[in-house]
Amino acid sequence: MTLSVEMGVGNMISAAWQELVEAGAKEDGALPVDTWTIARTSGLVAGVLLFSTMMGLGQSTAVLVATVRATVQLSLLGVVLLPIFQHATWWVVSFYVLAMASVAAHSASQR
């Protein structure tokens, strides 16, 4: 799929959505994650934990916390972004952009 500026945002989103459906996405846009994919990613984390322990780096707890935190954050991000992809209208996108910019500005000002 080739995206271009001339396509317009709505057409680009429709084309991207069609590509997801062709790749096996469900009606809600979620791509199926099978047991093998989870096993491979878990194996990578286990490898990092094993390496950290064998080398005496003391990072095992930090790696576990980061893994759980990333999983939760990405899951929540998916829940937040799903309405944007389901209802690709300018006002929905504008609302989310404004909300995300506001949260980012608040977070930056607290540091």
Side-chain angles (χ1 to χ4, degrees):
M1 171 180 67
T2 304
L3 300 177
S4 66
V5 176
E6 292 80 27
M7 288 180 72
V9 173
N11 290 336
M12 284 193 294
I13 291 173
S14 295
W17 186 264
Q18 184 61 35
E19 190 171 296
L20 280 174
V21 169
E22 290 170 3
K26 298 179 183 177
E27 284 186 31
D28 64 356
L31 289 172
V33 178
D34 60 351
T35 307
W36 179 240
T37 302
I38 294 172
R40 286 184 297 179
T41 56
S42 298
L44 290 173
V45 172
V48 169
L49 289 171
L50 181 65
F51 182 76
S52 175
T53 303
M54 288 174 53
M55 298 299 291
L57 301 177
Q59 294 296 313
S60 298
T61 303
V63 169
L64 282 174
V65 169
T67 301
V68 171
R69 184 176 175 187
T71 302
V72 170
Q73 286 178 340
L74 290 173
S75 298
L76 290 174
L77 184 64
V79 169
V80 169
L81 292 179
L82 184 63
I84 292 176
F85 296 119
Q86 287 180 336
H87 310 288
T89 59
W90 70 268
W91 61 271
V92 172
V93 173
S94 298
F95 170 76
Y96 276 102
V97 167
L98 181 63
M100 285 189 261
S102 298
V103 169
H106 177 70
S107 295
S109 69
Q110 298 298 315
R111 294 181 183 198

